[in-house]
Each structure stands twice: as C-alpha cells, then as structure tokens.
Amino acid sequence: MNKQIAEVEKLTVRIGKKTVLNDIQVQLQKGESVVITGRNGSGKSTFLRCLAEVILPDQGSVEYSPEISREKIGFISDQISLFENFTVKQGIDFHSSVFRITDFDPTLINELKLNLNQKIKTLSAGERTLYHLSLILSQKPQILLVDEIIHVIDPFLREKFLEAIIDLISQLQTTVIMVNHTFSEIEKIPERVLLMENGQFIMDEKSEALGTKIKKIVSEKKIPEEIPCIFRKESSFYQEYFIYPFKEELRKKFPHDYKDLSLTEIIKAFIGDQYAKKRIP
Amino acid sequence: MLKKEFREVLQQLLYFILVMALLPLPLLIFKIFLDQSYFGVFYILYHFGLLFLALFMGASLFSGDRAQGGMEYLISLPYSRLQLAGFKILPRLIAIVIFYLVYLVLYQASGESYSIFFFLFFTTSYLSLFLIGVSLSASSDSFLVLSIASLFSLFVYLAFFYLDYIAAFLIRGVHMERLAFEVDPESIILGFIPLAALSLVLPFLVAFILSFKKFDVRPAKVYNKRYLKYFTPLIAVGLVISFCLAYLGTGWVYKLYYLTEDHKLIETGYYSKIKIYEKDRVHTINYKFDFFWPYLEENEYVYDMYGESVVRLNTSDFTIDTLVEVPHERNVYRGSWKYDQTIVLLEKKQFQPSLQLALFDESSKKIRKISFSHELLKDYSLPNIFGTDKIDCQRFWLICSSVPMDNPLLRMWEDGSIENIGMTQRAPCYVNRMLITYTEEALVISKDIEGTFQGIMEIPEGKDWHFRVENIRSNLNNMPLKGIYGRKWKSRIIGRLNLDTFEIKEIAEKLGYIHYIYPSDSYFVEINRPANLIKIYQLKEEKLEFLKSFPDFDIREPENRLEVCKGGIIFKKGKKIKVYDFPDLKELEFKKL
C-alpha cells in the first residue's frame, strides 16, 4: 500500500453565499495519479487551488505529510499565471532562487526553442504551459497539481506535456492531480478518478475498478427497474442505459449485452447523470 | 523575491524622479509660477509629489503582479502571506523614508520656516497615506479604485482625527475658532498628536495583516468582507484610544499660575477656563484664552495682551474687559505697556520706515494714535518701549531694539518727531529720570538737559555690569529708586548700582535670577542644580537677606516651573502647586488647588 502524503479534512470554501467546497474529506497517496472531473462549476479548480494553498479554506484543512514542503508542490493553473513582464531567463532565475533550484533542467525549453530574452507575455498559451511545467519539473515536485490546461495546448505540445508528466511519475513517484474533462489522451495516466458535484466528491474509484463497475446496455426497449441505471441516453431508435454499480449477477438475472466503456464514456455518463438530476426538480 | 521587489520599486522611482525633475520646466516656461527659481518650483511640487508617491507606493503593492497576471503564481510561491506582504512592503517603506529624508534636506536648503503644526500635518498625511494605501492594496484589482479609496480613507482618517480633537476640546469647553491654527509649539498637545494619529492608522495596518494572512485568489469581495470584519472593531477601538489621547493631550496642557499682591492665585491653561483661587473659594471665569498671562498688575486689575487685544481682568468682581482691539494686519509687531491711566501699544510693520503708537486712555476709553516715520525704523528689529517721561508738558517714549547693539536708542516725541539718542552695548534702562547705557569703556548715565540727553557720569567698572529693571518693563511709571540690581557680565556676581552715589557694589556670587517687584522690592532666586535646591533671598540695600530654602526641586525638569509674581512665589512640581507669599514666604493654602 502506498504512503499517504496528504489528508483533506472537512474542507469548506465559500464564495459569497455560495458554498463551493462542502465538507470534503479525502486522502492522497504518494505516487498516485488522480483525475478530478465533474460538471463545470462543481468545485474542481477550487479544490485544486486549496491543495496548492492558493485558496485558503474557510473551514477544514489540507494536511501534508512532513516531507512535503511548499517548495515540493507544483501548481499549473488554468490561468497559466506567471510574471509576464519577465523574460524567459528572468523567469527561470526568479523561480530558481525562490525554490532554491540549483540544477535547472533546460531540456523542455530547448525543445521548444524558446529565446531566453523573449518576454513571457509573447509566448503562446502552449509554450507558456510547457515553460511553466519546465520550471516546476526543476523543483522536483512531490505533488503536481494541473488544472484544466491540456485543451489549450496543440497536439504536439500536449504529447510533450503528458510525456513529461509520465516521466515525473515514474522517476520521482510524484503524486499528480489533474482536473480534466476529456480523457481520450490521458486514459493511461489516472489510477484514480474523483467525480465532483456541488462541492463534494460523489465518486472516488480506482480507474481499473471503474471499468468493471459500470457497463452500458443498448436496447430498443425499456430495461427492468431492478437494474441500477445512473443515466439514460435516448435516441429515435434505441436507448443507452448506463448501469452502476454493475454486478456479475445482473448478467444471469437480466440477460442483456453489457458493454464495456472507456473512461471518457464513463465520466460522460456520470456527468450526464448530474445534468439529468439537475433538470428534474 | 526581495530582489524582484527592489527592482520593481527602483523602476517606479526612476519614473517618479524623472517626472519630478522635468515637471518644473513647463511651469517655468509658461510662467505659471512667477518669481520662482527651478528649485523653488521643484520644492513646491515635491510636496505634492511626495503625497502621490506615498499613495502610489502603498496602493500599488500588488498592482504590478496583477497587471502581468502573476497574482496566482505569486501566492503559490513557498512563502507565507505575511512573508509576501513583508517582501512587498519593505522596499517601498525604505523608499518612502528616503524620499522623506530628501524632503527634510530640501526643506533645509529652501530656507523656509514651517510651523511644527504643518510639519506634523504633512508628515502624518504622508505616512498615513502610504499605510492606508498598503492596507487597501489587496482590496481591488483596479489601481484607480484603490487610489480613490485610499484618498477617501485618508480624508475620513484626517476628519476623524480632527473631530477627536474638536470633541476633546469641546468637552473641555474650549473655544473652537482659534483651534488648530494657533497651536502652541511648546504645548504638550503636540506630543499626543502623533500618538493619536498612530492609534487611528494602526487599525488599517492591523486589519490588513490579519485579513491578508488568509488572502487568496477568490474574488475581492471575500477578502474585503474579512478585512471589514477586522477593521470595523479595530477602528472603533482606534477612535476611542485616539479620543482618549486627544482628551488627555488637551487636558495635559501647560498650566500657568500668577499670584496677585492680595494673594489671589490665577490659573490659566491652554484654551482652559480661568480659575481664580482664594483661600476658601474658587471662582471660574468662563472665558478662554490660548493663554492668559498677566504682564502687569495694578490695584485689583491684571492686564494681558491677548492676540490683537488688551484685556483686563478684575480680580475682585471676576469680570474681563477688552480694553483695546487692534485691527488685524500682517507683519505687525505689537507690544503693550502702561503708565498712569494710559495703555500704550506699539505697532510696526516689518521693513517699513514707520512706527505707530496707540495710546488708550483707561478712564475715557479713547484711543489716540501717533505715527512716526524715520529711515532708522526700516530695519529696526522688535522695538521695545523701556521708558517714558514728560518734559515741558511734552511726553516722550524711549525705544530700544531687542538687539540693542545693532540699533540706536530712539526718543519719540508726542509731536511725531524722532531723536537718535545713541547706541548701547546692552539693554538700557530708564530710572529716576536717568538713562543708563553701556559703551565698551563704561556704564554711562545720562540726563535730559535742555532737550537732549547728556552724559552726567561714566563709570568705567560699570562696563562689565548689566543693571536691569526688566520686571517692570510693562509698567512705565517712574518710581524713584535708591538703587538697581544687576549682574556682572558673564559671571555669577550680583551687585547694586547706587543711584545717589553711582557706586557699584558686589553683593554675592551665586547662580540665579534677580526679580524686581514693582515698586521697590527685589528678590534673588538662587538655583543650586546639583543639590536640586532653591533658595530665596530678599535684596535689601547692599545685602542678600536669606528668606527660605526649598529642597528637592529640580528646575531642569520640564514639568517643574518656578514663578516669581508680585504677591509671592509659585512652585509647580509636576501637577503639585505650592504657593508662598512675599516677603515672609509663608505657604498659602487655596481651596481645591
């Protein structure tokens, strides 16, 4: 069993009268890769910012194990926040001095062929993301927090970005926590999926277990109510039923073609379920 | 991190210096400032520049990071919020202090002479604006909003500060119309002003520190709500403390005491009511002066010159009359003296070759004015009337300057003519119709003979002496004296000039002061500083007659004061007042003192 590196206790964050995170409890393990997903506005980015201590909770806490100092937490926000008036070189020097980095690794920057005297504000979104990642990689982070950023990067840079993350996990056993909606390109990364809704985690599953726990039935007819369906997708000719939690006994009791789902489809189903619930008063 | 902040501040300061250096040029070219040098315009603009700098340095604490989208990155750095605030504030505070020191140097170079009140006001505004700016710097993303909010807060802050003092003065029953414009620099109130100002600006700073500890990237309203949660009670406490300090400050005003010949003790303070203590009662006169300090006592009356007026307090029926009111005019030097029934006021505009005497007749209450013009009067500094007399039914007044060796003595006749009666090395006196002056060779005694002062006696050893009747300087009545007392120049030897024989006799060698009490008594107050001892003597002919000693009184303590008045002597030790009568030095008891 992996070592626990962070414990989130009763985490609550409010913005005005709205409770964005509501009494969250979760543990994070060393070296695990976690994807947090959920509807827009469900609180994913706020949770990630709480882990990065960029947002401080109104109640509750995020407790890191003693070996995790703030210097070992890397955070790439969806805002790609950096000091834009700095040149690439100034940004590296500043980051290195603040995080006490003595051996900055320029590989990624070299691959991007960035001019060191170029202002950060002149970099494209993808370049800035990779540049920021290169800064963080030099920190040798124990925890890497990545907000919804992948969709702004072109496929070439995206591949580099993901390769760097996979290397990080394998080399340093870094815990990677990503907020994401699309899984097509990162299906191999997450070991654990957290689904967030209304500021709470409503699902916390290992991704390999998730494939066995959710199945799909495509049928022209209505399926029996005894089959636990979390979401139904209707079309003119047939209906798709997403079954959760799926148990093998269901195959014998209610014979259907129980189809396996990709991670992307599973997440879509869960998010679709939340939208469906929201529509029903 | 500090390096980044210092670099940012230096860049901002370079712009500031450049603007400050160039701004006077168009103003001079387009003659917006007349008769001003480049330095003169620069110096004037520097005041405004400093206030802008304070506002900018405070309110723009995070503006640079916000403008370049680095706020989230900034607070994700491995520093606590307070460390971040410290990194931000330190270089800006250093800049603020350095530019204030530059201001002090410029002030010295400018040769201006501001009142301490202006200095306090400007310094308080400057530092407060910076601290208020810092305090609000995290409240909005817009520098414009922050600037307006900071300026508004400063305005409210100053208003609160002023209202605190007004409330304190009002509760103490002080006249408001003269307040703030005539603060006595010596007054201890000024000591409280920085404390009261601090107690009002600290809530801004403490609220910032407490709320910034939990600063994050949530919308500003979340932070502002927290800020207000801390600020509201803190400013309430600050207001109470500031009011208490203002109240203490206004109460801790210096009190002056005067003992009349018939043993009535007059207590006056800075904008306080006048109290007259008698043995078994206290009378309060609800009439407030910034200070009422009798310069003259005659019968039941004591006189003071208050602002532009001569006022007279009747110590028997406790009424106050304003005898003479002079219209206000700038740069007019005024003094007030009295002889017989006449109060004489002297008015002189600086650098004008003219002078005016206003003669107020106390019985008819009429004023007669005599104007004098002479080139000698042009540079005559702070004229004083030191004598008056009548010859052939025509009155004259003797005028000396407060710097007698630079200006001649003048005799001014009732008909408007002026007569130069020569120079003196030390302050002259006019006694027994004799003029006593000093040359480098001798003490010279002159008398009016056929319309001119002519020397009748030169006393060579007198050149080292200085005989004075300064305590009757406001009383110009010519009371005949047998002798006058004085001190050997630059020594502790006291002596007497016999006005019949013109002999000078040394009496004693002691550190202290001679007090002449009109009409004929003189006392000597010996000050023994190492022993904290005061000894009182009466000067009788050519002897010092010891009266009483007062141990344990350190005259160097600012709270201690010793007053020799017509009726006796007053020891003020802290807030304790002890009063002793003349000539017995018997302690006088006053009810409720």
Side-chain angles (χ1 to χ4, degrees), chain A residues 13-15 49 53-58 70-71 77 79 81-86 94-95 98-99, chain B residues 1 4 7 65 68-79 81 213-219 222:
Chain A
V13 171
R14 293 183 201 94
I15 295 177
R49 281 174 167 78
E53 296 182 18
V54 166
I55 284 180
L56 301 174
D58 294 306
R70 279 194 77 191
E71 287 165 17
S77 83
Q79 312 289 319
S81 174
L82 288 164
F83 296 138
E84 291 184 344
N85 290 343
F86 277 5
F94 175 76
H95 199 85
V98 167
F99 285 90
Chain B
M1 182 70 194
K4 168 193 170 284
R7 194 168 53 207
D65 300 317
Q68 52 180 320
M71 207 58 194
E72 198 162 53
Y73 177 60
L74 178 79
I75 57 173
S76 73
L77 298 176
Y79 300 119
R81 300 294 194 266
K213 272 167 87 174
K214 293 197 81 182
F215 177 80
D216 58 27
V217 293
R218 277 182 279 181
V222 177

Side-chain angles (χ1 to χ4, degrees), chain A residues 166-177:
Chain A
I166 291 165
D167 281 353
L168 189 70
I169 296 167
S170 62
Q171 285 174 19
L172 295 175
Q173 268 207 299
T174 298
T175 304
V176 177
I177 302 161

Side-chain angles (χ1 to χ4, degrees), chain B residues 172 188 192 247-255 257 265 267 277 553 557-561 570-579 592-593:
Chain B
R172 290 193 180 278
I188 207 152
F192 280 86
Y247 188 77
L248 276 174
T250 53
W252 201 342
V253 292
Y254 212 88
K255 293 266 198 286
Y257 293 89
L265 183 70
E267 179 192 272
Y277 294 91
F553 188 83
E557 281 289 317
E559 281 292 287
N560 293 354
R561 196 176 165 100
I570 302 163
F571 285 89
K572 181 172 178 282
K573 190 177 176 186
K575 288 194 170 179
K576 280 187 181 170
I577 312 295
K578 297 260 186 185
V579 186
K592 292 184 182 176
L593 178 66

Side-chain angles (χ1 to χ4, degrees), chain B residues 150-162:
Chain B
S150 300
L151 284 173
F152 179 74
S153 301
L154 178 75
F155 174 76
V156 174
Y157 161 81
L158 290 174
F160 272 143
F161 181 57
Y162 189 61

Side-chain angles (χ1 to χ4, degrees), chain B residues 9-26:
Chain B
V9 170
L10 273 176
Q11 276 175 357
Q12 291 166 345
L13 290 179
L14 279 177
Y15 287 121
F16 173 74
I17 292 167
L18 198 68
V19 171
M20 285 308 301
L22 293 178
L23 202 56
L25 296 176

Side-chain angles (χ1 to χ4, degrees), chain A residues 196-247:
Chain A
M196 188 165 245
E197 180 60 28
N198 288 333
Q200 288 181 316
F201 289 123
I202 56 166
M203 186 193 79
D204 180 358
E205 295 281 4
K206 294 282 179 194
S207 48
E208 58 192 21
L210 204 54
T212 62
K213 282 188 179 173
I214 181 162
K215 302 287 181 189
K216 181 170 78 173
I217 300 171
V218 181
S219 170
E220 292 172 3
K221 293 176 186 170
K222 204 177 174 186
I223 61 166
E225 283 189 356
E226 289 84 349
I227 302 175
C229 172
I230 57 158
F231 179 56
R232 189 181 66 183
K233 198 172 161 188
E234 293 181 30
S235 73
S236 310
F237 308 104
Y238 58 88
Q239 292 177 0
E240 290 177 329
Y241 297 92
F242 293 84
I243 313 304
Y244 178 80
F246 170 77
K247 288 174 185 164

